[in-house]
Amino acid sequence: MINESFHIPVLTEEVIQHLLIRRNGNYLDATSGFGGHSSAILEQLVDGSLVASDQDPEAISYLKSKFKSEQRISIHQARFSQLDKLFSTNNYDGILADIGVSSYQLNNPKRGFSFMKDGPLDMRMNQNIGEDASSWLSNASEKEISSVLWKYGEEKKAKRIAKAIVEARKNIKIESTKELAEILLEEVPRRFNDKKHPATKTFQAIRIFINNELEELELLLDFISKHLKIGGRACIISFHSLEDRMVKRFFRDHSRRDPRLSKLPNLADDSSFKLVSKAIKPSDEEINLNPRSRSAVLRVVERIK
Ligand SMILES: C[S@@+](CC[C@H](N)C(=O)[O-])C[C@H]1O[C@@H](n2cnc3c(N)ncnc32)[C@H](O)[C@@H]1O
């Protein structure tokens, strides 16, 4: 039984404040998860509607039971890459995405996301599709592993770690989070003053790769650029710098006039968004209440044409 306290939504007040919700507007929460932000949006709607989607089947069954008597919500299991096909005719007054993993996914050993809890090395946000982390680690070449660790984890010891993984798998199939964490700890022992566990970057990198997270984010941004109404706002919360950099760049590039054209007179500005604020971070109070929120960054844009 999934318990709601497994996931505390982050920056909820700030999201609601910046979405400028219209009582009769149409909204999309593309990462509805355990429905925290979706509930807050519904509280502001009167006769508007909310599409709540997520790729995780466990989240979807939870949402269906949480909102079973709510008429204004429609719930869909969908990845960002499917939104354009599923909702090709919909346009929204506001779109929210709170990307990454939920605390439920992270804390549930059966999902295999965390080196803190032993469980099958899975890491898929939708366990019904794709290759899990254990099979990928069994088959990938040393070079491929090292490049994933470097690209998605910015892990400086990527080559050493990849070599250790390939050595270890000659003797065992790496099937559990604990087995992988032990290989990593042996190769990169934890030093007294290390703030982060040596497995942090490797786990993050494999998770991003297995779930195709950056490619998915790119398609979400593309969807936003096509399906936000004029005057509508998009809020994106990300939890690590790779994602945040992508969001920042995309919003910036679509919010400013092409600098090569800026000196030409009488030329219309073709930017489609306006940046609403700088990066918004959780208050100290929120971080104290929910330490997981400390790395969250919210960015907001408004469609202007
Ligand atoms: C941080 S949680 C969101 C929690 C939610 N805002 C709440 O209040 O409960 C992130 C969610 O995004 C989902 N997610 C991540 N990447 C996705 C993608 N590419 N497509 C759809 N859902 C995705 C995950 O399955 C997870 O449930």
Side-chain angles (χ1 to χ4, degrees):
M1 177 67 192
I2 297 171
N3 177 332
E4 198 151 339
S5 63
F6 269 128
H7 188 86
I8 307 171
V10 303
L11 290 163
T12 309
E13 261 177 48
E14 291 81 352
V15 164
I16 295 303
Q17 184 195 335
H18 284 90
L19 273 178
L20 294 181
I21 296 179
R22 295 172 193 157
R23 294 144 60 94
N24 60 350
N26 302 320
Y27 291 83
L28 166 67
D29 180 352
T31 53
S32 191
F34 290 84
H37 289 119
S38 293
S39 294
I41 294 172
L42 285 169
E43 271 172 33
Q44 307 294 316
L45 292 177
V46 178
D47 45 2
S49 64
L50 173 67
V51 172
S53 62
D54 199 288
Q55 68 170 324
D56 186 335
E58 284 196 77
I60 294 298
S61 33
Y62 179 80
L63 290 168
K64 284 191 171 156
S65 97
K66 179 178 165 99
F67 294 117
K68 61 177 179 294
S69 48
E70 175 55 75
Q71 304 297 315
R72 298 165 301 170
I73 193 168
S74 62
I75 298 168
H76 303 263
Q77 189 190 333
R79 294 195 304 279
F80 300 153
S81 49
Q82 297 172 303
L83 294 175
D84 203 33
K85 224 178 201 165
L86 283 172
F87 306 119
S88 59
T89 55
N90 294 20
N91 285 323
Y92 299 95
D93 296 288
I95 299 178
L96 164 67
D98 168 23
I99 49 189
V101 274
S102 64
S103 309
Y104 169 74
Q105 289 166 330
L106 204 59
N107 295 339
N108 181 349
K110 289 194 194 123
R111 305 300 301 265
F113 284 105
S114 171
F115 50 82
M116 309 285 280
K117 303 197 171 169
D118 192 23
L121 187 61
D122 191 315
M123 297 201 195
R124 287 169 301 169
M125 291 192 205
N126 176 353
Q127 292 181 304
N128 298 329
I129 55 164
E131 189 177 32
D132 66 23
S134 170
S135 341
W136 177 68
L137 277 183
S138 304
N139 300 316
S141 69
E142 186 177 322
K143 200 165 165 214
E144 195 183 348
I145 297 173
S146 152
S147 111
V148 163
L149 302 191
W150 172 246
K151 189 168 168 197
Y152 301 123
E154 298 178 319
E155 171 54 87
K156 293 197 185 80
K157 300 179 184 109
K159 280 190 179 161
R160 256 173 73 187
I161 294 174
K163 191 160 190 262
I165 290 173
V166 169
E167 271 309 305
R169 80 182 184 197
K170 287 180 185 157
N171 305 317
I172 52 155
K173 178 161 192 258
I174 308 168
E175 283 180 318
S176 74
T177 51
K178 189 164 164 231
E179 282 162 354
L180 177 58
E182 278 169 1
I183 296 165
L184 299 172
L185 267 179
E186 204 163 299
E187 188 55 34
V188 194
R190 189 169 197 166
R191 286 173 311 198
F192 171 68
N193 56 352
D194 278 349
K195 280 200 192 126
K196 284 191 177 158
H197 189 285
T200 308
K201 289 181 176 174
T202 296
F203 270 68
Q204 173 194 300
I206 298 176
R207 187 202 92 204
I208 292 177
F209 173 75
I210 288 293
N211 293 289
N212 223 6
E213 288 181 38
L214 301 188
E215 292 76 4
E216 283 282 322
L217 175 57
E218 207 166 295
L219 292 168
L220 172 72
L221 293 169
D222 183 55
F223 180 84
I224 289 173
S225 70
K226 293 192 207 145
H227 293 274
L228 197 59
K229 290 183 193 166
I230 292 178
R233 288 189 168 188
C235 288
I236 301 198
I237 301 172
S238 46
F239 286 85
H240 61 74
S241 55
L242 287 176
E243 291 167 342
D244 183 50
R245 249 179 264 155
M246 274 176 70
V247 176
K248 181 178 170 183
R249 203 167 296 153
F250 185 89
F251 282 180
R252 190 195 57 203
D253 290 351
H254 287 75
S255 305
R256 73 170 179 208
R257 191 172 170 167
D258 183 337
R260 286 166 304 180
L261 305 179
S262 63
K263 292 206 177 83
L264 300 176
N266 306 327
L267 205 71
D269 184 347
D270 61 355
S271 43
S272 46
F273 290 135
K274 171 177 94 181
L275 289 176
V276 170
S277 81
K278 290 195 170 150
I280 300 166
K281 301 199 172 149
S283 61
D284 292 343
E285 197 187 344
E286 176 165 7
I287 296 172
N288 281 339
L289 286 170
N290 178 15
R292 198 188 80 91
S293 69
R294 73 185 169 278
S295 41
V297 181
L298 166 66
R299 294 192 185 267
V300 188
V301 281
E302 183 174 313
R303 174 136 214 179
I304 50 171
K305 71 161 81 143

